[in-house]
């Protein structure tokens, strides 16, 4: 008899996920089977379920790309990991390994990259197939639940902060203090930056202050851009936009200092107007950033292993997934929900 697993499946865009019992997949050559312990719920999962982006996943699929678990079976030829190891199955599920981008350690933009919980089934299931060459290696002093948000929200904000090229002592704006941003504030402080947190929710801003933000600005205030400029003496050297809202993008470009860099990681569908004269005449760089590479992953996890960064998590069972998505959509999740497979 084939063994079964529970999984939350997207069968139609914009509809609730369907709880199913599916056959546990078996790893093909070069693949591994991971038994899920925990999986964070990222706002990207919401975009995936709603079919928000131009490149849509093929239905049906299992979302979830902050999955941590134990390797329980190896396909033929696998030597990179051993049975019993704790690994993370991230957004960057696999890449070709030999194109110009892979060779330059820019594998998230590999044309043949596969994305966990998007083009490959993800972590809202009791078992996941993974590529042993692209899994994250989880430090032994982190629990699977606290490690989960680090393998997407953590790596993405850590890499995005690096991409701003802001130096210790300089100012960074983190716009959006949710799952990504609450970790971004902590990475930025650990990297020696002065942090101005921006959000539309006073509760999230108060949380940012508890996490070490030096200043807070509510983005709903009419003078939010001017307030940031005043606080930072002319705008932030680096700006990281995690907010899944187009309004935040135009605002954030305005908060960027002359010669500063505004890094876009939030992915609301659509476009935003760019004030060309201001960008050109102030020599502002606007750049996109997409998760990070494998060394960024190891570095992002190391901050947490040393106690410099800690995800604030709320544990929920897999059966609560549709309720969690509803709350995430309404901005009612304080930081990160992690689906816990160990006790539920
Ligand atoms: P989240 O829902 O946990 O947090 C979003 C935060 O933005 C909330 O605190 C919300 O109050 C705040 N916000 C909403 N409107 C705002 C505004 N106008 N100004 C300032 N703040 C505002 O979401 P998350 O999981 O942190 O993900 C955020 C975005 O990042 C999503 O679009 C997601 O797809 C994207 N993402 C991108 C990457 C990447 O590699 N580029 C990786 C992960 C997630
Ligand atoms: Zn994510
Ligand atoms: Zn490649």
């Amino acid at each position: 008899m084939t063994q079964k697993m529970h999984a939350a499946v997207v069968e139609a865009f914009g509809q609730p996920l369907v709880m199913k019992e599916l056959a546990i997949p078996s790893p093909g050559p070069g693949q591994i089977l991971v038994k899920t312990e925990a999986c964070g719920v990222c706002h990207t999962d919401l975009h995936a379920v709603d079919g928000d982006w131009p490149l849509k996943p093929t239905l049906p699929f299992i979302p979830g790309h902050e999955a941590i678990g134990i390797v329980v079976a190896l396909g033929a030829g696998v030597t990179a990991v051993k049975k019993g190891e704790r690994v993370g199955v991230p957004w960057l599920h696999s890449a070709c390994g030999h194109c110009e981008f892979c060779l330059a350690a820019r594998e998230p933009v590999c044309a043949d990259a596969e994305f966990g919980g998007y083009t490959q089934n993800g972590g809202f299931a009791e078992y996941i197939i993974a590529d042993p060459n692209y899994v994250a290696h989880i430090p032994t002093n982190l629990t699977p639940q606290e490690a989960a948000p680090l393998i997407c929200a953590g790596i993405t904000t850590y890499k995005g902060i690096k991409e701003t090229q802001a130096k210790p002592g300089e100012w960074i704006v983190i716009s959006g203090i949710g799952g990504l941003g609450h970790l971004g504030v902590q990475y930025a402080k650990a990297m020696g930056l002065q942090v101005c947190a921006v959000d539309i929710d006073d509760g999230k801003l108060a949380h940012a202050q508890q996490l070490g933000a030096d200043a807070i600005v509510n983005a709903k205030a009419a003078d939010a851009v001017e307030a940031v400029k005043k606080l930072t003496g002319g705008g932030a050297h680096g700006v990281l936009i995690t907010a899944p809202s187009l309004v935040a993008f135009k605002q954030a470009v305005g908060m960027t200092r002359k010669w500063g860099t505004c890094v876009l990681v939030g992915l609301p569908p659509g476009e935003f107007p760019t004030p060309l004269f201001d960008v050109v005449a102030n020599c502002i760089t606007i750049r996109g950033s997409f998760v990070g590479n494998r060394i960024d992953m190891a570095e992002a996890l190391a901050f947490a292993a040393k106690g410099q960064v800690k995800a604030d998590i709320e544990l929920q069972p897999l059966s609560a997934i549709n309720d969690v998505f509803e709350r995430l959509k309404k901005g009612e999740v304080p930081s990160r929900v992690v689906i816990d497979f160990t006790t539920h």
Side-chain angles (χ1 to χ4, degrees):
M1 199 185 76
T2 336
Q3 283 200 306
K4 300 273 184 168
M5 65 172 187
H6 292 104
V9 181
V10 180
E11 296 194 324
F13 293 120
Q15 295 299 314
L17 281 72
V18 182
M19 293 300 301
K20 293 220 143 177
E21 279 200 16
L22 303 175
I24 297 175
S26 50
Q31 296 180 325
I32 57 174
L33 182 68
V34 175
K35 186 173 192 308
T36 317
E37 297 175 291
C39 186
V41 185
C42 179
H43 206 107
T44 288
D45 296 313
L46 199 52
H47 295 308
V49 172
D50 285 345
D52 272 348
W53 297 337
L55 175 75
K56 293 188 202 309
T58 306
L59 296 167
F61 70 99
I62 303 170
H65 57 270
E66 288 185 349
I68 310 291
I70 301 292
V71 179
V72 290
L74 306 178
V78 171
T79 54
V81 299
K82 293 190 176 51
K83 268 202 222 180
E85 261 183 61
R86 176 169 286 140
V87 297
V89 189
W91 176 254
L92 184 70
H93 190 272
S94 57
C96 84
H98 49 75
C99 70
E100 67 173 285
F101 302 108
C102 283
L103 291 177
R106 292 173 173 165
E107 59 258 31
V109 299
C110 171
D112 294 325
E114 296 280 344
F115 301 122
Y118 206 80
T119 64
Q120 293 287 323
N121 280 332
F124 298 148
E126 288 171 309
Y127 292 86
I128 327 161
I129 294 288
D131 182 327
N133 299 311
Y134 290 87
V135 290
H137 299 277
I138 307 304
T140 50
N141 62 342
L142 296 180
T143 67
Q145 293 79 6
E146 64 191 7
L150 303 172
I151 72 164
C152 177
I155 183 180
T156 302
T157 50
Y158 169 60
K159 176 69 159 190
I161 293 164
K162 284 205 284 187
E163 293 288 6
T164 69
Q165 295 179 350
K167 297 179 192 67
E170 293 185 339
W171 277 100
I172 188 160
V173 160
I174 310 275
S175 168
I177 309 293
L180 265 64
H182 93 284
L183 289 170
V185 169
Q186 298 177 60
Y187 280 109
K189 285 312 297 175
M191 291 157 87
L193 298 166
Q194 294 199 77
V195 176
C196 178
V198 175
D199 204 291
I200 51 171
D201 181 312
D202 286 330
K204 305 242 167 111
L205 291 171
H207 187 211
Q209 263 179 327
Q210 287 159 11
L211 295 171
D214 302 278
I216 52 170
V217 169
N218 192 315
K220 276 189 175 159
D223 63 345
V225 173
E226 282 314 309
V228 169
K229 282 191 170 156
K230 204 168 161 204
L231 277 163
T232 56
H237 305 80
V239 175
L240 180 72
I241 314 172
T242 79
S245 152
L246 290 175
V247 186
F249 284 70
K250 183 164 182 229
Q251 225 179 20
V253 173
M255 293 171 179
T256 311
R257 201 183 196 86
K258 294 180 180 181
W259 276 98
T261 299
C262 182
V263 170
L264 324 184
V265 303
L267 274 166
E271 295 169 9
F272 74 100
T274 309
L276 265 178
F277 185 81
D278 292 348
V279 171
V280 173
N282 293 324
C283 298
I284 286 171
T285 301
I286 300 178
R287 72 188 312 174
S289 186
F290 199 37
V291 286
N293 63 24
R294 288 170 286 178
I295 195 73
D296 297 318
M297 181 68 89
E299 290 172 8
L301 286 163
F303 276 85
K306 283 184 279 180
Q308 292 173 296
V309 166
K310 191 171 172 51
D312 280 315
I313 54 173
E314 171 194 325
L315 300 182
Q316 290 289 348
L318 185 61
S319 56
I321 191 77
N322 286 313
D323 177 50
V324 173
F325 279 132
E326 276 307 309
R327 286 171 57 210
L328 197 57
K329 199 174 263 184
K330 292 187 200 142
E332 289 171 4
V333 169
S335 299
R336 202 51 138 198
V337 169
V338 172
I339 302 298
D340 184 13
F341 291 79
T342 60
T343 54
H344 293 94

